[in-house]
Amino acid sequence: MRSLWLDTHPVSTPAQTLPDGAHYDSIVAGAGITGLTTAVLLARAGHQVAVLEARSVGAAATGNTTAKVSLLQGTNLASIRSHHSDEVLQAYTDANHEGQAWLLRYLEDHGVEYQRRTSLIYANTDEGVPSLERELDAARTVGLDAYWTADTELPHPVSGAVALDDQAQIHPTEVLDALAAELRRRGGTIVEGVRVTDASSETPVQIETTDGSLSADHLVLATGAPVLDRGGYFAKMKGHRSYSLAYRLPEGAHTPQGMHLSVDSPSRSTRTATIDGQELLLVGGNGHIVGRAESHQDAVEEIDAWTKHHFPGAERTHAWSAQDYRPADYVPFFGRLPLGGGSIYLATGYNKWGMTNGVAAALAISSEILEGQTPWAYVLADRSVTAQGLATGMKDNLEIGARMGKDWVASELSSLPQQAPAEGQGTVGRENGKPVGVSTVDGTTRKVSAVCPHMGGILSWNDAECTWDCPLHASRFDTEGNILEGPALQGLRTPNS
């Protein structure tokens, strides 16, 4: 599965290396929108900056997003309000507003196209209407000009909708390309295929990577889930995957121009995208906790069937998936990493709204490093733990504990089949007393340990992307055991290693 964005505009970066032992003013781990925006802001201030990307630029969330730059974010505002004061809700909205404004201004200044659109959330059923009403009330509380509407352009009836005009949609890898180019012009370095594996809690920060040791006055972790476990953020968030598909519609077919998102089931997200002069329809949804779907491919096919029913003649061109993290209290984490000695920063927990939150995090972190003032960042960073947030976090972790026990019992009881799995399939079973995963992809059968090296979860097979996914804290691995994303720092062992 490869996203429309990565397929039509891959970010090309010149091959660069870092001398072992080199020192930088700032090192950023992660080359998505947060990492590259942070790097550019610091480079503008004269910092010598290096960006380390474990895979390739945009390979994780940013290159697989739906790329809506909106302040109307499903039921996110109401969820935050149910966990926090209106002061925190206002600070969150101010952060996203500033992130949105900075990003769109950047695109205009650098000649990168984007489209202004109305953002709409809607209910499929009457049961979903109260969620809309709560979101509308929360939006108006923080000064957003959201309004109730009956006009959605959708080819199916809805029970209600809320709209916010003058939002935007972008091509995310075009944005990353512009940021990467500016960073290089300002003397910054981007190195792909290098993963941060450890860092000291002192200044300068001593940083261990898969390609040697480095040091920096500041280290920024913009890696989705933080690659250092300090602060226990893996236990404060829940990893989710969701799916997106792109379609070419028959000539003359009506394509809804707004950015739509349902607030109830079935979850559906739609927007348009213009590629090489042709307008495509993007349809997403069917989100679930990482590693806990019966069949990921079934989730893809269900969206495909829904689209072809409502948009006759739709021809699928791309299908892909993205991962993001929902904090227990629904507010992102960004700022100094606990137990990081004051020189390590993190940004995570965007709950699928990274195009605004990611830029806001970059603005806050760079301001803190450069000793600036960002009032909304202080409010968000100093927010108190609430009873509702504790309850949500406790529920999330109880689910994790129950899942871990269930999966270990299942792996102990089931022997690994003697016959290789069918093409594109994988299974977990016991071999020599240990849980082992076996898969067949592109005609090759491989075995890996089925135990996640992060905290010992039993992996499950993702039949849409042919990966091994951890249902505990959302680490993911390819068929050879290499890390794709998540908090794990080591790949999977082979059964005999």
Side-chain angles (χ1 to χ4, degrees):
M1 302 175 78
R2 186 169 173 83
S3 77
L4 173 70
W5 319 122
L6 291 168
D7 192 39
T8 58
H9 195 105
V11 181
S12 58
T13 56
Q16 294 180 286
T17 59
L18 300 179
D20 189 41
H23 178 83
Y24 292 83
D25 296 318
S26 297
I27 289 180
V28 179
I33 195 165
T34 303
L36 289 180
T37 302
T38 303
V40 164
L41 290 169
L42 293 174
R44 288 179 178 179
H47 277 220
Q48 185 183 18
V49 183
V51 176
L52 308 181
E53 167 54 50
R55 295 163 65 190
S56 58
V57 174
T62 304
N64 294 285
T65 176
T66 54
K68 297 177 181 178
V69 189
S70 177
L71 304 182
L72 186 63
Q73 304 174 346
T75 59
N76 210 30
L77 296 181
S79 295
I80 292 171
R81 197 180 194 189
S82 72
H83 287 72
H84 294 285
S85 66
D86 283 354
E87 180 188 19
V88 171
L89 179 65
Q90 186 68 63
Y92 175 85
T93 305
D94 291 346
N96 278 254
H97 194 279
E98 190 166 340
Q100 181 191 62
W102 188 96
L103 177 58
L104 298 185
R105 185 169 59 249
Y106 185 88
L107 300 185
E108 291 166 359
D109 290 346
H110 290 79
V112 179
E113 291 186 2
Y114 69 92
Q115 298 80 43
R116 292 280 185 178
R117 291 289 187 269
T118 295
S119 182
L120 300 101
I121 57 174
Y122 66 92
N124 291 294
T125 64
D126 291 344
E127 288 74 17
V129 170
S131 293
L132 289 179
E133 293 172 339
R134 286 190 293 270
E135 191 67 15
L136 178 60
D137 184 54
R140 288 175 171 170
T141 297
V142 292
L144 298 181
D145 294 326
Y147 57 93
W148 197 269
T149 183
D151 182 14
T152 68
E153 300 182 276
L154 293 170
H156 57 82
V158 302
S159 294
V162 172
L164 181 65
D165 294 333
D166 204 28
Q167 304 306 291
Q169 59 187 27
I170 63 174
H171 190 308
T173 53
E174 291 182 357
V175 178
L176 296 183
D177 210 4
L179 289 166
E182 179 178 353
L183 180 60
R184 290 194 298 270
R185 287 195 305 269
R186 295 183 180 275
T189 302
I190 302 173
V191 180
E192 297 179 315
V194 175
R195 183 181 299 274
V196 171
T197 58
D198 200 3
S200 69
S201 297
E202 58 190 44
T203 304
V205 184
Q206 304 301 312
I207 303 164
E208 299 299 323
T209 79
T210 52
D211 199 37
S213 300
L214 303 166
S215 67
D217 295 330
H218 310 279
L219 171 63
V220 180
L221 304 177
T223 55
V227 294
L228 303 179
D229 272 350
R230 298 163 214 177
Y233 290 94
F234 64 86
K236 300 176 183 178
M237 304 186 299
K238 183 179 286 187
H240 285 255
R241 289 199 77 77
S242 54
Y243 304 87
S244 294
L245 289 76
Y247 293 88
R248 186 181 298 111
L249 299 185
E251 185 175 353
H254 174 67
T255 307
Q257 294 299 299
M259 302 184 299
H260 297 83
L261 178 63
S262 65
V263 299
D264 52 6
S265 184
S267 62
R268 291 291 179 264
S269 168
T270 62
R271 59 157 285 191
T272 62
T274 301
I275 305 296
D276 295 330
Q278 183 177 41
E279 187 174 67
L280 302 179
L281 173 69
L282 273 57
V283 183
N286 284 2
H288 61 81
I289 299 170
V290 175
R292 302 192 201 177
E294 289 296 323
S295 169
H296 300 68
Q297 189 59 37
D298 284 354
V300 173
E301 296 308 325
E302 182 182 317
I303 295 173
D304 188 62
W306 181 92
T307 303
K308 290 176 178 176
H309 172 74
H310 290 293
F311 298 91
E315 177 188 351
R316 190 165 95 187
T317 64
H318 295 78
W320 69 97
S321 182
Q323 182 157 313
D324 211 336
Y325 300 86
R326 188 268 289 157
D329 67 353
Y330 289 85
V331 175
F333 300 105
F334 47 79
R336 281 190 170 92
L337 180 73
L339 305 177
S343 297
I344 303 177
Y345 301 80
L346 84 154
T348 188
Y350 303 152
N351 199 22
K352 302 182 182 180
W353 295 100
M355 297 301 96
T356 50
N357 277 302
V359 176
L363 292 169
I365 290 171
S366 60
S367 177
E368 190 165 2
I369 290 174
L370 300 171
E371 301 181 351
Q373 300 290 322
T374 313
W376 49 259
Y378 295 134
V379 175
L380 297 180
D382 293 339
R383 67 186 187 267
S384 301
V385 176
T386 64
Q388 185 68 22
L390 285 173
T392 303
M394 185 177 296
K395 178 177 180 291
D396 290 347
N397 283 285
L398 286 172
E399 290 177 0
I400 286 171
R403 178 68 190 231
M404 187 174 187
K406 173 186 172 184
D407 289 350
W408 268 95
V409 169
S411 69
E412 290 291 332
L413 292 176
S414 302
S415 297
L416 202 66
Q418 294 296 315
Q419 186 174 0
E423 175 63 33
Q425 298 300 311
T427 190
V428 172
R430 187 184 71 255
E431 184 176 78
N432 297 324
K434 297 179 180 179
V436 171
V438 59
S439 64
T440 302
V441 176
D442 295 332
T444 300
T445 299
R446 297 182 177 90
K447 291 181 180 180
V448 294
S449 169
V451 181
C452 179
H454 177 236
M455 290 195 71
I458 300 299
L459 304 176
S460 66
W461 180 246
N462 178 333
D463 58 347
E465 297 171 276
C466 293
T467 59
W468 293 106
D469 299 358
C470 180
L472 303 191
H473 302 114
S475 293
R476 299 179 60 245
F477 309 85
D478 67 17
T479 56
E480 296 179 352
N482 300 308
I483 307 169
L484 295 175
E485 55 192 315
L489 291 175
Q490 300 174 352
L492 303 176
R493 296 176 179 270
T494 57
N496 296 322
S497 63

